[in-house]
Amino acid sequence: MATSVSQKASGINDISQISPAVRQWVDEVAKLTRPDRIYWCDGSAEEYRRLVQELVARNELLPLNAEEFPNCFLARSNPNDVARVEHLTFICTPSKEDAGPNNNWIDPKEARARMRSLFDGCMRGRTLYVVPYCMGPIDSPYSRCGVEITDSGYVAVNMMLMTRTGRPTLERIARESTSKDKPFVRGLHSIGELDPNRRFIMHYPQDLAIESFGSGYGGNALLGKKCHALRIASWQARTEGWLAEHMLIVGLTNPQGEKHYIAAAFPSACGKTNLAMLIPPGSMPGWKVETVGDDIAWLHPGPDGRLWAINPEAGYFGVVPGTNRDTNRNAFDMIKRDTLFTNVALTADKQPWWEGRKKLEPVIDWKGQPFDPKNGPAAHPNSRFTVSARNNPIYSPHADDAQGVPISALVFGGRRREVAPLVYESRDWNHGVLVGASVASETTAAAVGQAGVVRRDPMAMLPFCGYNFGDYWAHWLNVGSKLSKPPRIYHVNWFRRDAQGRFLWPGFGDNLRVIEWMLKRSAGTATAETTPIGNLPRAQDLNIQGLQISDADLKELLTVDAKLWREELKSIGEYLRGYGARLPAKLTEEHRKTLELLDKA
Ligand code: GTP
Ligand code: SPV
Ligand code: MN
C-alpha cells in the first residue's frame, strides 16, 4: 500500500510483510494527520537505542549520570500534563447507560467527529510512529494485540519497555488481523499542542478503538496500559467470560516450599508495585517472593475450576517517590539501569532524585528549575519510572507462561486513615464481590485533582472500567459461579493512622505477615474471629515475631468499630443504589446481610 509520505526512516524496511489491515489503517490515519514521515517500529534493541539517541539529540531525553545510572534518561513532561485526566476520559458507547454512572460518556459519532477535527493535520512536521504490541505472553491464547500510532518518540520508546513489541508480535498481528475474534486494538495518539482544553481520551469498546489527543503522559498516552488492557479489555472480557483487573500478581513460596499466587487490586499509588516486589522481613526467613505483574491482571476461569492470571504488560510504569533501599530494595536496584525517569529532580552530578531517596540533595527540580523548597517537592509526586520487567531481580520465571498462574487469593485494598481494619476475609465469593464494590480510598497524585479525599473506587477500577459498574458486578458474580475452586477474597488497609497522622502499620515487607495469615486461612491452618464485616485475625493469629509494634496499635488495627461500620454500610448502600436497575440483586442481598449482622452486634 502506497503512502504519500517517506517510509525511509523505518525500522521495518519491507512493509509488505505487514498485515494489510494494519497498513490500510496507518494509511487512513496518515491521510488525516499529515505526518512528514512514517516510522514502523520493529521492536529491536538496536531500534530502542537509536530512538532514545534521537530523543537525546532533540533534548526530549536527558542522559543521567552514566556511572551511577547506566543507560538511564530523564524526561520532563509539560507541567500541565503530569497525571491521568479522569474528567477528560470518555467511554463512547451508543447507549449512555452502557457506560454507566461510573464513566464520562459521549455519543461515539459525536466523539469521532470531535476527535477527527483535532487530529486533522496534527502531525505536520512530525514523525508518525507505528508501534505494534502484544499484551500478554506472545504465545498465550489469552493475550491480545494492538497497534498504537503516535507522534511522540517518548511514547514509542516507553511502549517498547512496557509491552512486547518486535517480530513475533508483528507475525501474530498478521495472523490474527483477519480473524473475527481477535482483531487488533487500534490506538491513535497525538500529543497535539498539550493544551488541556484540547485534551481527550476516547474509548470505543465496540470498535476496539482508542483515540487520545493532547497529553503525552502515562496512562493517557501509553495506550496499551489503562486504555487497552483495562478499559477496552474489561469490555471484551465481559463478552468472553473473563476479567480484566487493576491488580498486581505475585508468587509466594513459604518456608515449607509451598507456592501460591495472589492478585491484589489497590487504587492508583496505593501499593501494588511495592507488594508485587515485596522483600520478606529479616525475621521471616525462608520466604520467597516473585513478581508476575505490578498493575494489571487478566483473569480466566480455568478447566480445573481455579482462576488463572496473566500479566498483559512487560514492564513497569511505577511511582518513584518513596522508593529506597529500606522500603523496596528490589525496586531501587531495578531502576539503577536501563530506566526512563519522568519528572524526577536532579542532583548536582545528574543523578535522579526524589522525595524518599536517602542521601544526596536535589539541585534541579522536576520542571528543570533550580530547586527551592518554596516551590513544592523536588520530584513531582506522580513522577514515574519506566523499566522492563526483565530488570526486576525477582521477576517470576512463570510470568511468561501461556496459561498464566493459578490464583489462591484475591485482595482488595485502599488507603484509609480510619474505618478499614488491617485485614479481613469475606464470607464467600459473593460477599467478596460486595467487599470489592465497597472499596474506598484517599485520592492520590496519580490523577489530576485534589489528593487525600476519600472516594468509592470499586475494585480499584473506577477510572478504568469500560462499562457500567452494575453490569460489571453482575459479571463478577457470574465468573465466581463458574469456579469450583474460587480463591478467597480479602480486604487490606496498610494506611491506618493515629490521631497524629502516624501510620499504625509498618507496611512494605511486613505486609507479608498479613499474606501469611491469608495463605494459612486457605490451607485451613489459621484461625480468625467472625465479625459482621467478615473474618479478622486476632492479634495471636498474626505472625508478629520480630516486629516492633505496640499491643495498642495492633489492637486498633484489628478492631471493627460497629458504629463507624454502620455508617459505612449506609454510605455503601447509597452508592450502590446509584446504579439503579443495573445493580445485581445478589449484591443488594449481601449488603442487607452485612447490615443485619451489624445491627445484631
Ligand atoms: P499505580 O502505579 O499508580 O497503580 O500505583 P501502585 O498501586 O503500584 O502504588 P505503589 O506501589 O507505587 O505505591 C505508591 C506509594 O505508596 C509509594 O510512595 C509507596 O512508597 C507507598 N507505599 C506502598 N506500599 C506501602 C505500605 O505498605 N505502607 C505505606 N505506608 N506506604 C506504602
Ligand atoms: C495508575 O494511575 O493507576 C497508573 C499510572 O498505574 S498510569 O499509567 O498513568 O495510569
Ligand atoms: Mn495503576
Side-chain angles (χ1 to χ4, degrees), residues 84 225-226 246 266-269 272 294-296 384 464:
R84 283 185 295 100
K225 197 171 176 61
K226 301 303 165 72
H246 192 202
F266 311 150
S268 301
K272 289 182 300 301
D294 85 321
D295 198 49
I296 299 177
R384 298 261 168 177
F464 308 121

Side-chain angles (χ1 to χ4, degrees), residues 55-234:
L55 289 164
V56 170
R58 294 206 299 266
N59 284 326
E60 290 178 44
L61 284 181
L62 189 78
L64 293 169
N65 184 313
E67 302 244 300
E68 300 291 334
F69 287 82
N71 197 29
C72 292
F73 300 85
L74 168 66
R76 293 193 186 109
S77 74
N78 188 306
N80 78 31
D81 184 32
V82 294
R84 283 185 295 100
V85 281
E86 294 177 5
H87 60 298
L88 303 175
T89 300
F90 292 81
I91 299 297
C92 310
T93 43
S95 138
K96 185 174 185 197
E97 267 289 287
D98 287 341
N102 46 304
N103 279 304
N104 300 311
W105 174 87
I106 307 184
D107 178 85
K109 282 202 198 73
E110 198 187 319
R112 288 279 193 188
R114 188 186 295 186
M115 297 307 277
R116 205 179 162 79
S117 70
L118 291 173
F119 281 119
D120 195 355
C122 73
M123 295 191 189
R124 278 202 180 91
R126 298 180 185 173
T127 299
L128 179 160
Y129 299 86
V130 185
V131 189
Y133 62 85
C134 177
M135 300 310 289
I138 190 72
D139 56 349
S140 170
Y142 304 130
S143 299
R144 292 289 186 277
C145 293
V147 177
E148 175 164 359
I149 293 178
T150 177
D151 56 8
S152 161
Y154 164 82
V155 166
V157 292
N158 271 269
M159 284 294 287
M160 292 175 80
L161 294 175
M162 292 301 298
T163 66
R164 291 160 177 92
T165 54
R167 294 270 162 200
T169 294
L170 284 165
E171 284 160 19
R172 182 165 173 161
I173 292 177
R175 266 199 320 276
E176 290 181 345
S177 60
T178 49
S179 81
K180 278 213 167 47
D181 57 328
K182 284 183 184 167
F184 64 97
V185 167
R186 291 155 203 246
L188 172 54
H189 169 255
S190 170
I191 54 173
E193 312 86 40
L194 297 174
D195 173 358
N197 296 313
R198 286 162 57 82
R199 179 175 293 162
F200 293 101
I201 296 102
M202 305 287 194
H203 303 75
Y204 310 92
Q206 276 123 330
D207 301 344
L208 303 184
I210 305 154
E211 292 181 328
S212 167
F213 189 91
S215 166
Y217 201 86
N220 302 334
L222 311 178
L223 302 186
K225 197 171 176 61
K226 301 303 165 72
C227 298
H228 178 163
L230 288 178
R231 299 194 190 96
I232 299 289
S234 61

Side-chain angles (χ1 to χ4, degrees), residues 226 246 266-275 294-295 317-319 321-323 384 415 446 494-495 503 506-508 511:
K226 301 303 165 72
H246 192 202
F266 311 150
S268 301
C270 290
K272 289 182 300 301
T273 304
N274 278 277
L275 188 60
D294 85 321
D295 198 49
F317 184 65
V319 175
T323 307
R384 298 261 168 177
R415 189 184 273 272
W494 315 138
F495 301 93
F503 287 116
F508 299 101
N511 294 334

